[in-house]
PDB file of all heavy atoms in Angstrom:
ATOM      1  N   LYS A   4      15.120   3.156   5.136  1.00  0.00           N
ATOM      2  CA  LYS A   4      16.072   3.822   6.024  1.00  0.00           C
ATOM      3  C   LYS A   4      17.063   2.820   6.601  1.00  0.00           C
ATOM      4  O   LYS A   4      18.238   3.102   6.740  1.00  0.00           O
ATOM      5  CB  LYS A   4      15.323   4.539   7.143  1.00  0.00           C
ATOM      6  CG  LYS A   4      16.211   5.316   8.063  1.00  0.00           C
ATOM      7  CD  LYS A   4      15.414   6.067   9.093  1.00  0.00           C
ATOM      8  CE  LYS A   4      16.350   6.780  10.052  1.00  0.00           C
ATOM      9  NZ  LYS A   4      15.658   7.449  11.113  1.00  0.00           N
ATOM     10  N   GLU A   5      16.561   1.646   6.936  1.00  0.00           N
ATOM     11  CA  GLU A   5      17.426   0.594   7.479  1.00  0.00           C
ATOM     12  C   GLU A   5      17.200  -0.681   6.685  1.00  0.00           C
ATOM     13  O   GLU A   5      16.069  -1.055   6.409  1.00  0.00           O
ATOM     14  CB  GLU A   5      17.092   0.339   8.943  1.00  0.00           C
ATOM     15  CG  GLU A   5      17.372   1.514   9.841  1.00  0.00           C
ATOM     16  CD  GLU A   5      17.031   1.245  11.286  1.00  0.00           C
ATOM     17  OE1 GLU A   5      16.682   0.101  11.634  1.00  0.00           O
ATOM     18  OE2 GLU A   5      17.121   2.198  12.067  1.00  0.00           O
ATOM     19  N   GLY A   6      18.272  -1.345   6.316  1.00  0.00           N
ATOM     20  CA  GLY A   6      18.128  -2.657   5.698  1.00  0.00           C
ATOM     21  C   GLY A   6      18.096  -2.636   4.185  1.00  0.00           C
ATOM     22  O   GLY A   6      18.495  -1.677   3.540  1.00  0.00           O
ATOM     23  N   THR A   7      17.597  -3.727   3.657  1.00  0.00           N
ATOM     24  CA  THR A   7      17.564  -3.937   2.218  1.00  0.00           C
ATOM     25  C   THR A   7      16.172  -3.660   1.670  1.00  0.00           C
ATOM     26  O   THR A   7      15.207  -3.576   2.425  1.00  0.00           O
ATOM     27  CB  THR A   7      17.961  -5.395   1.903  1.00  0.00           C
ATOM     28  OG1 THR A   7      17.044  -6.254   2.582  1.00  0.00           O
ATOM     29  CG2 THR A   7      19.372  -5.696   2.354  1.00  0.00           C
ATOM     30  N   PRO A   8      16.035  -3.534   0.344  1.00  0.00           N
ATOM     31  CA  PRO A   8      14.707  -3.319  -0.234  1.00  0.00           C
ATOM     32  C   PRO A   8      13.716  -4.345   0.287  1.00  0.00           C
ATOM     33  O   PRO A   8      14.063  -5.493   0.558  1.00  0.00           O
ATOM     34  CB  PRO A   8      14.947  -3.490  -1.736  1.00  0.00           C
ATOM     35  CG  PRO A   8      16.385  -3.127  -1.916  1.00  0.00           C
ATOM     36  CD  PRO A   8      17.073  -3.609  -0.663  1.00  0.00           C
ATOM     37  N   GLU A   9      12.479  -3.905   0.421  1.00  0.00           N
ATOM     38  CA  GLU A   9      11.508  -4.726   1.112  1.00  0.00           C
ATOM     39  C   GLU A   9      10.137  -4.660   0.437  1.00  0.00           C
ATOM     40  O   GLU A   9       9.652  -3.582   0.114  1.00  0.00           O
ATOM     41  CB  GLU A   9      11.409  -4.216   2.546  1.00  0.00           C
ATOM     42  CG  GLU A   9      10.523  -4.991   3.433  1.00  0.00           C
ATOM     43  CD  GLU A   9      10.601  -4.485   4.876  1.00  0.00           C
ATOM     44  OE1 GLU A   9      11.372  -3.574   5.194  1.00  0.00           O
ATOM     45  OE2 GLU A   9       9.848  -5.044   5.684  1.00  0.00           O
ATOM     46  N   ALA A  10       9.527  -5.828   0.233  1.00  0.00           N
ATOM     47  CA  ALA A  10       8.141  -5.903  -0.236  1.00  0.00           C
ATOM     48  C   ALA A  10       7.268  -6.020   1.006  1.00  0.00           C
ATOM     49  O   ALA A  10       7.447  -6.910   1.821  1.00  0.00           O
ATOM     50  CB  ALA A  10       7.943  -7.107  -1.143  1.00  0.00           C
ATOM     51  N   VAL A  11       6.351  -5.090   1.144  1.00  0.00           N
ATOM     52  CA  VAL A  11       5.515  -5.012   2.334  1.00  0.00           C
ATOM     53  C   VAL A  11       4.086  -5.409   1.976  1.00  0.00           C
ATOM     54  O   VAL A  11       3.482  -4.817   1.068  1.00  0.00           O
ATOM     55  CB  VAL A  11       5.525  -3.577   2.900  1.00  0.00           C
ATOM     56  CG1 VAL A  11       4.671  -3.483   4.136  1.00  0.00           C
ATOM     57  CG2 VAL A  11       6.945  -3.127   3.159  1.00  0.00           C
ATOM     58  N   PRO A  12       3.522  -6.410   2.660  1.00  0.00           N
ATOM     59  CA  PRO A  12       2.141  -6.801   2.352  1.00  0.00           C
ATOM     60  C   PRO A  12       1.151  -5.733   2.808  1.00  0.00           C
ATOM     61  O   PRO A  12       1.353  -5.076   3.826  1.00  0.00           O
ATOM     62  CB  PRO A  12       1.944  -8.099   3.147  1.00  0.00           C
ATOM     63  CG  PRO A  12       2.991  -8.083   4.192  1.00  0.00           C
ATOM     64  CD  PRO A  12       4.122  -7.232   3.700  1.00  0.00           C
ATOM     65  N   LEU A  13       0.099  -5.560   2.027  1.00  0.00           N
ATOM     66  CA  LEU A  13      -0.974  -4.634   2.371  1.00  0.00           C
ATOM     67  C   LEU A  13      -2.163  -5.431   2.884  1.00  0.00           C
ATOM     68  O   LEU A  13      -2.588  -6.388   2.244  1.00  0.00           O
ATOM     69  CB  LEU A  13      -1.408  -3.821   1.148  1.00  0.00           C
ATOM     70  CG  LEU A  13      -0.359  -2.942   0.489  1.00  0.00           C
ATOM     71  CD1 LEU A  13      -0.922  -2.313  -0.784  1.00  0.00           C
ATOM     72  CD2 LEU A  13       0.138  -1.869   1.447  1.00  0.00           C
ATOM     73  N   SER A  14      -2.683  -5.038   4.021  1.00  0.00           N
ATOM     74  CA  SER A  14      -3.899  -5.677   4.536  1.00  0.00           C
ATOM     75  C   SER A  14      -5.058  -5.349   3.591  1.00  0.00           C
ATOM     76  O   SER A  14      -4.957  -4.411   2.788  1.00  0.00           O
ATOM     77  CB  SER A  14      -4.205  -5.157   5.941  1.00  0.00           C
ATOM     78  OG  SER A  14      -4.608  -3.794   5.881  1.00  0.00           O
ATOM     79  N   PRO A  15      -6.145  -6.089   3.654  1.00  0.00           N
ATOM     80  CA  PRO A  15      -7.291  -5.772   2.797  1.00  0.00           C
ATOM     81  C   PRO A  15      -7.769  -4.326   2.965  1.00  0.00           C
ATOM     82  O   PRO A  15      -8.074  -3.650   1.977  1.00  0.00           O
ATOM     83  CB  PRO A  15      -8.357  -6.772   3.229  1.00  0.00           C
ATOM     84  CG  PRO A  15      -7.564  -7.952   3.721  1.00  0.00           C
ATOM     85  CD  PRO A  15      -6.351  -7.341   4.393  1.00  0.00           C
ATOM     86  N   ASN A  16      -7.800  -3.835   4.203  1.00  0.00           N
ATOM     87  CA  ASN A  16      -8.223  -2.452   4.440  1.00  0.00           C
ATOM     88  C   ASN A  16      -7.231  -1.471   3.818  1.00  0.00           C
ATOM     89  O   ASN A  16      -7.622  -0.506   3.162  1.00  0.00           O
ATOM     90  CB  ASN A  16      -8.376  -2.188   5.937  1.00  0.00           C
ATOM     91  CG  ASN A  16      -8.938  -0.818   6.229  1.00  0.00           C
ATOM     92  OD1 ASN A  16      -9.836  -0.338   5.546  1.00  0.00           O
ATOM     93  ND2 ASN A  16      -8.413  -0.185   7.250  1.00  0.00           N
ATOM     94  N   ALA A  17      -5.936  -1.717   4.019  1.00  0.00           N
ATOM     95  CA  ALA A  17      -4.905  -0.845   3.449  1.00  0.00           C
ATOM     96  C   ALA A  17      -4.968  -0.872   1.927  1.00  0.00           C
ATOM     97  O   ALA A  17      -4.856   0.174   1.277  1.00  0.00           O
ATOM     98  CB  ALA A  17      -3.526  -1.263   3.936  1.00  0.00           C
ATOM     99  N   ARG A  18      -5.162  -2.034   1.358  1.00  0.00           N
ATOM    100  CA  ARG A  18      -5.237  -2.160  -0.106  1.00  0.00           C
ATOM    101  C   ARG A  18      -6.388  -1.324  -0.660  1.00  0.00           C
ATOM    102  O   ARG A  18      -6.230  -0.603  -1.642  1.00  0.00           O
ATOM    103  CB  ARG A  18      -5.411  -3.620  -0.494  1.00  0.00           C
ATOM    104  CG  ARG A  18      -5.463  -3.842  -1.989  1.00  0.00           C
ATOM    105  CD  ARG A  18      -5.525  -5.346  -2.296  1.00  0.00           C
ATOM    106  NE  ARG A  18      -5.531  -5.564  -3.703  1.00  0.00           N
ATOM    107  CZ  ARG A  18      -6.594  -5.991  -4.385  1.00  0.00           C
ATOM    108  NH1 ARG A  18      -7.723  -6.261  -3.760  1.00  0.00           N
ATOM    109  NH2 ARG A  18      -6.521  -6.165  -5.680  1.00  0.00           N
ATOM    110  N   MET A  19      -7.550  -1.392  -0.004  1.00  0.00           N
ATOM    111  CA  MET A  19      -8.705  -0.623  -0.446  1.00  0.00           C
ATOM    112  C   MET A  19      -8.417   0.880  -0.352  1.00  0.00           C
ATOM    113  O   MET A  19      -8.713   1.649  -1.268  1.00  0.00           O
ATOM    114  CB  MET A  19      -9.915  -0.982   0.408  1.00  0.00           C
ATOM    115  CG  MET A  19     -11.160  -0.200   0.063  1.00  0.00           C
ATOM    116  SD  MET A  19     -12.486  -0.497   1.254  1.00  0.00           S
ATOM    117  CE  MET A  19     -11.798   0.247   2.733  1.00  0.00           C
ATOM    118  N   MET A  20      -7.803   1.292   0.746  1.00  0.00           N
ATOM    119  CA  MET A  20      -7.501   2.705   0.936  1.00  0.00           C
ATOM    120  C   MET A  20      -6.438   3.183  -0.046  1.00  0.00           C
ATOM    121  O   MET A  20      -6.531   4.291  -0.583  1.00  0.00           O
ATOM    122  CB  MET A  20      -7.064   2.961   2.377  1.00  0.00           C
ATOM    123  CG  MET A  20      -8.195   2.787   3.380  1.00  0.00           C
ATOM    124  SD  MET A  20      -7.672   3.032   5.098  1.00  0.00           S
ATOM    125  CE  MET A  20      -7.588   4.836   5.146  1.00  0.00           C
ATOM    126  N   VAL A  21      -5.419   2.360  -0.297  1.00  0.00           N
ATOM    127  CA  VAL A  21      -4.375   2.729  -1.255  1.00  0.00           C
ATOM    128  C   VAL A  21      -4.976   2.857  -2.655  1.00  0.00           C
ATOM    129  O   VAL A  21      -4.666   3.807  -3.387  1.00  0.00           O
ATOM    130  CB  VAL A  21      -3.212   1.715  -1.233  1.00  0.00           C
ATOM    131  CG1 VAL A  21      -2.287   1.901  -2.422  1.00  0.00           C
ATOM    132  CG2 VAL A  21      -2.446   1.817   0.072  1.00  0.00           C
ATOM    133  N   ARG A  22      -5.849   1.947  -3.024  1.00  0.00           N
ATOM    134  CA  ARG A  22      -6.498   2.021  -4.335  1.00  0.00           C
ATOM    135  C   ARG A  22      -7.222   3.366  -4.479  1.00  0.00           C
ATOM    136  O   ARG A  22      -7.127   4.033  -5.507  1.00  0.00           O
ATOM    137  CB  ARG A  22      -7.477   0.870  -4.533  1.00  0.00           C
ATOM    138  CG  ARG A  22      -8.159   0.885  -5.904  1.00  0.00           C
ATOM    139  CD  ARG A  22      -9.187  -0.225  -6.057  1.00  0.00           C
ATOM    140  NE  ARG A  22      -8.669  -1.546  -5.853  1.00  0.00           N
ATOM    141  CZ  ARG A  22      -8.030  -2.280  -6.764  1.00  0.00           C
ATOM    142  NH1 ARG A  22      -7.847  -1.805  -7.972  1.00  0.00           N
ATOM    143  NH2 ARG A  22      -7.609  -3.492  -6.471  1.00  0.00           N
ATOM    144  N   PHE A  23      -7.939   3.769  -3.437  1.00  0.00           N
ATOM    145  CA  PHE A  23      -8.655   5.033  -3.460  1.00  0.00           C
ATOM    146  C   PHE A  23      -7.679   6.206  -3.549  1.00  0.00           C
ATOM    147  O   PHE A  23      -7.907   7.164  -4.281  1.00  0.00           O
ATOM    148  CB  PHE A  23      -9.552   5.159  -2.214  1.00  0.00           C
ATOM    149  CG  PHE A  23     -10.367   6.410  -2.187  1.00  0.00           C
ATOM    150  CD1 PHE A  23     -11.531   6.508  -2.925  1.00  0.00           C
ATOM    151  CD2 PHE A  23      -9.962   7.490  -1.417  1.00  0.00           C
ATOM    152  CE1 PHE A  23     -12.295   7.668  -2.905  1.00  0.00           C
ATOM    153  CE2 PHE A  23     -10.708   8.654  -1.379  1.00  0.00           C
ATOM    154  CZ  PHE A  23     -11.876   8.744  -2.132  1.00  0.00           C
ATOM    155  N   ALA A  24      -6.571   6.146  -2.791  1.00  0.00           N
ATOM    156  CA  ALA A  24      -5.582   7.227  -2.786  1.00  0.00           C
ATOM    157  C   ALA A  24      -4.912   7.384  -4.151  1.00  0.00           C
ATOM    158  O   ALA A  24      -4.658   8.506  -4.593  1.00  0.00           O
ATOM    159  CB  ALA A  24      -4.526   6.975  -1.713  1.00  0.00           C
ATOM    160  N   ILE A  25      -4.645   6.271  -4.801  1.00  0.00           N
ATOM    161  CA  ILE A  25      -3.982   6.320  -6.108  1.00  0.00           C
ATOM    162  C   ILE A  25      -4.926   6.860  -7.166  1.00  0.00           C
ATOM    163  O   ILE A  25      -4.526   7.636  -8.029  1.00  0.00           O
ATOM    164  CB  ILE A  25      -3.451   4.928  -6.510  1.00  0.00           C
ATOM    165  CG1 ILE A  25      -2.282   4.550  -5.616  1.00  0.00           C
ATOM    166  CG2 ILE A  25      -3.048   4.889  -7.978  1.00  0.00           C
ATOM    167  CD1 ILE A  25      -1.768   3.134  -5.828  1.00  0.00           C
ATOM    168  N   ASP A  26      -6.197   6.428  -7.099  1.00  0.00           N
ATOM    169  CA  ASP A  26      -7.208   6.828  -8.074  1.00  0.00           C
ATOM    170  C   ASP A  26      -6.686   6.488  -9.475  1.00  0.00           C
ATOM    171  O   ASP A  26      -6.402   5.333  -9.738  1.00  0.00           O
ATOM    172  CB  ASP A  26      -7.554   8.302  -7.892  1.00  0.00           C
ATOM    173  CG  ASP A  26      -8.806   8.710  -8.640  1.00  0.00           C
ATOM    174  OD1 ASP A  26      -9.679   7.842  -8.882  1.00  0.00           O
ATOM    175  OD2 ASP A  26      -8.933   9.907  -8.979  1.00  0.00           O
ATOM    176  N   HIS A  27      -6.532   7.457 -10.331  1.00  0.00           N
ATOM    177  CA  HIS A  27      -6.067   7.199 -11.701  1.00  0.00           C
ATOM    178  C   HIS A  27      -4.624   7.639 -11.918  1.00  0.00           C
ATOM    179  O   HIS A  27      -4.147   7.660 -13.052  1.00  0.00           O
ATOM    180  CB  HIS A  27      -6.975   7.898 -12.717  1.00  0.00           C
ATOM    181  CG  HIS A  27      -8.382   7.398 -12.697  1.00  0.00           C
ATOM    182  ND1 HIS A  27      -8.698   6.066 -12.845  1.00  0.00           N
ATOM    183  CD2 HIS A  27      -9.554   8.035 -12.518  1.00  0.00           C
ATOM    184  CE1 HIS A  27     -10.000   5.905 -12.776  1.00  0.00           C
ATOM    185  NE2 HIS A  27     -10.559   7.087 -12.569  1.00  0.00           N
TER     186      HIS A  27
END
């Protein structure tokens, strides 16, 4: 929404949850 494209780090907890959300 504001600014330029951005790479956002995922915390270990977020990474685990994102992996589960993505599934296959």
Side-chain angles (χ1 to χ4, degrees):
K4 183 177 177 184
E5 295 180 6
T7 58
E9 184 174 357
V11 180
L13 299 175
S14 69
N16 186 40
R18 181 175 182 251
M19 178 188 67
M20 291 178 77
V21 167
R22 181 183 303 277
F23 182 80
I25 290 174
D26 193 26
H27 297 305

